[in-house]
Amino acid sequence: MQTKQTIAIIGATGNMGSAISKSLLKGNYRLLLKSGDQGKLNNLVKEIKSNNMAADVEAAPCPTEASWEADIIILAVPFEAEKEIAENIKEVANQKIVISIANPLNETYNGLVTAPGTSAAEELQKLLPNSKVIKAFNTTFAADFSTPVIDGKQVDAFIAGNDGDALESVKALVSLAGFNPIVAGDLSVSRTLEHMQLLLIQLGMKSNYNWLAGWKILHN
C-alpha cells in the first residue's frame, strides 16, 4: 500500500494556492493549508470538504508547523514573500522538496525584479540550502487548473530542479493537476521559465486571453 504523503501549501487562499489545493485532492495526499487570512482559509477548507467529504485536508496554524509535518512544501506566494517564509521554515524543510511557483514580476509587468543571471527559484535555493527546491506551476494560470485542456490540447507545465528524485515526485503532482509535465532542466532553467510566464502575461493583457492560456510544445 502506498504511503500517504503530506503536502503543505503556504498561501493556500490565493488564486494559485486555491487552484493547486483543489487539484491535488484527487491524489493520495494529506493537505495542510496555510494562509495569512484565517477566515478565507476556513472557508476554503469547508468548501473542499463540502465537495469531497473524504478529503484529507485541514488548516495549519503556522507555516513552520505545516512544513514540519510535510513531505512536500509548496510556496504559493509572491516572490517578495518567499524570503520571510524561508527563514521560518529553513530548519524544518531540511532535505524536503520545496516548490517555488513565484514569478518575480515588477509592478508594471514589463520585466522581472530579479537580477540577470538568477531566478526566484535559485534565490529560494540559496535561502534553503538543505532543501530540494523545484520550480513548478509558474507557467500556468490559476484558470488553467479547471481547464487544463485548451483548444483540444493539454497544457504543458514545465519543471526545473537539481534533484532527480524530487523532479519525479513533482512530475506526479503536475500530472495529477491535469497538465502534461515537462522537465526542462536544472534549477538555472527557472530563469527561462519565469521569463516565459512574463511573456504569456504580457500577451494575455494585449490579446485578452482572460487568464486562460498556456504553453504547448508541438513535436513529432
Side-chain angles (χ1 to χ4, degrees), residues 9-14 17-18 21 32-45 58-63 66 76-77 85:
I9 302 176
I10 313 300
T13 57
S18 176
S21 300
L32 292 178
L33 308 184
K34 171 59 186 169
S35 168
D37 189 322
Q38 193 63 40
K40 282 187 177 181
L41 184 60
N42 292 337
N43 288 337
L44 176 62
V45 172
E58 60 187 275
C62 71
V77 298
I85 293 172

Side-chain angles (χ1 to χ4, degrees), residues 55-220:
D56 193 351
V57 57
E58 60 187 275
C62 71
T64 305
E65 184 171 325
S67 300
W68 178 77
E69 292 190 51
D71 301 289
I72 299 171
I73 303 160
I74 301 177
L75 299 190
V77 298
F79 171 62
E80 58 269 19
E82 287 193 338
K83 184 175 181 180
E84 181 180 353
I85 293 172
E87 290 173 352
N88 291 333
I89 70 170
K90 183 176 181 180
E91 298 304 321
V92 295
N94 187 40
Q95 297 304 310
K96 294 181 180 180
I97 297 171
V98 179
I99 298 175
S100 165
I101 78 164
N103 289 304
L105 307 168
N106 65 19
E107 292 182 356
T108 54
Y109 302 110
N110 65 355
L112 302 180
V113 299
T114 42
T118 190
S119 64
E122 289 170 286
E123 293 305 301
L124 182 62
Q125 183 67 84
K126 290 176 186 176
L127 296 170
L128 300 172
N130 298 316
S131 299
K132 304 167 186 177
V133 173
I134 302 291
K135 193 75 188 182
F137 295 123
N138 82 292
T139 58
T140 53
F141 291 129
D144 296 334
F145 284 80
S146 59
T147 313
V149 176
I150 301 173
D151 192 28
K153 300 175 182 65
Q154 185 183 26
V155 174
D156 290 335
F158 301 90
I159 309 166
N162 298 332
D163 185 280
D165 290 339
L167 285 168
E168 287 301 310
S169 294
V170 176
K171 269 184 69 176
L173 295 183
V174 170
S175 180
L176 178 64
F179 302 104
N180 177 48
I182 296 178
V183 176
D186 65 26
L187 203 59
S188 68
V189 178
S190 299
R191 304 168 199 175
T192 299
L193 301 185
E194 291 169 12
H195 276 92
M196 283 172 61
Q197 193 63 1
L198 170 63
L199 175 60
L200 191 58
I201 289 169
Q202 291 172 337
L203 291 173
M205 293 170 66
K206 178 181 178 181
S207 304
N208 194 27
Y209 295 156
N210 292 318
W211 304 108
L212 185 61
W215 293 101
K216 186 67 187 176
I217 295 178
L218 302 177
H219 60 88
N220 59 16

